[in-house]
Amino acid sequence: LFGVTLYGRNADLLYYFKYVEGNENLFTIYSMILIVPSILGAAAFPFVFEKLGNKGHTASLFAAGTGVSLIALYFFSAVSSPIPFYTFAALSQFFFCGFNTAIYAIVPDCVEYGEWVTGVRNDGFQYAFISLGNKIGMALGISLLAQALEAAGYVSNAAQNETVLSIMRHAFSTIPGILWVATAAALFFYKLNKRTYNRIVEVIRHRAAKKRGLRSIAK
């Protein structure tokens, strides 16, 4: 869900500014405005996590902020209402980068949890699975958008019909926004908080120490 949301929207960005806003050069301005919010969003993660004590809930909060900001973008234009447009664009990037930091911070927790449950540590599998998910998301996001535009009558480098423009607008804002809110709802049920995580790590360390002791006796 995360991968499809991210890559589907990224694929739409140039189309959006070129055909909906009527000026593809605005994409450069848009990209530059997002630089600082990106840094601030990533930096905000540890402070929010410190308050919430749960990486999943932290990621959920950032995902919800991303979703709401993107949905709000639907109601504004970079040409006719640039201040609210770029404000919500900046907010969406701030929350997204906070989410991105949080979601990758969750992976080591999943590794520890998996070892606690199964006794097998699978770091490589976890990171490979995320990489695979990103690749699948990229393929699906771009493919679905291309198919929708083609079905609606998209013609390259020409004036687009209202259906195509509507798809571009929704692919830029409301569709990823709704999916981000759904992502936030799913992550809200993440139960591995600081206390539980510390207990899991302690159990794993105890098991490892016990195994070392048994090996030492066997020798």
Side-chain angles (χ1 to χ4, degrees):
L1 181 61
F2 164 59
V4 173
T5 303
L6 173 61
Y7 293 111
R9 183 170 189 270
N10 284 348
D12 183 58
L13 285 174
L14 281 174
Y15 286 144
Y16 176 83
F17 286 106
K18 182 175 182 177
Y19 297 112
V20 178
E21 298 289 0
N23 185 353
E24 59 187 312
N25 293 325
L26 290 174
F27 175 71
T28 302
I29 298 173
Y30 174 85
S31 300
M32 290 178 64
I33 286 175
L34 300 189
I35 293 174
V36 172
S38 299
I39 298 170
L40 294 177
F45 162 71
F47 299 99
V48 179
F49 171 56
E50 186 63 31
K51 293 292 183 182
L52 298 181
N54 183 309
K55 292 178 184 177
H57 290 174
T58 304
S60 177
L61 179 64
F62 281 118
T66 305
V68 171
S69 300
L70 288 175
I71 292 170
L73 275 175
Y74 179 81
F75 302 99
F76 302 102
S77 164
V79 175
S80 61
S81 49
I83 293 178
F85 178 87
Y86 287 115
T87 296
F88 282 112
L91 284 172
S92 70
Q93 189 68 9
F94 169 84
F95 287 119
F96 165 71
C97 286
F99 169 86
N100 203 37
T101 306
I103 209 69
Y104 279 100
I106 285 174
V107 178
D109 289 4
C110 295
V111 172
E112 304 288 0
Y113 180 81
E115 184 177 2
W116 176 62
V117 172
T118 66
V120 178
R121 192 172 186 86
N122 56 5
D123 310 53
F125 172 79
Q126 296 276 5
Y127 286 101
F129 187 78
I130 288 178
S131 178
L132 176 63
N134 284 335
K135 289 180 173 64
I136 293 173
M138 179 186 297
L140 285 176
I142 294 173
S143 176
L144 289 173
L145 176 62
Q147 289 179 27
L149 291 175
E150 183 180 359
Y154 168 77
V155 179
S156 180
N157 297 316
Q160 306 300 327
N161 63 54
E162 286 301 318
T163 303
V164 169
L165 293 176
S166 179
I167 290 173
M168 290 177 179
R169 289 188 68 198
H170 284 293
F172 175 74
S173 55
T174 58
I175 294 174
I178 291 168
L179 292 175
W180 275 111
V181 172
T183 299
L187 284 166
F188 182 77
F189 295 97
Y190 186 86
K191 296 180 179 180
L192 194 58
N193 56 30
K194 281 183 178 180
R195 180 181 298 177
T196 305
Y197 176 76
N198 290 335
R199 187 168 67 247
I200 287 173
V201 171
E202 188 60 35
V203 170
I204 291 172
R205 287 175 179 170
H206 178 73
R207 287 177 181 170
K210 188 175 181 179
K211 285 181 180 178
R212 287 194 296 270
L214 292 173
R215 290 195 194 102
S216 178
I217 292 172
K219 292 178 180 179

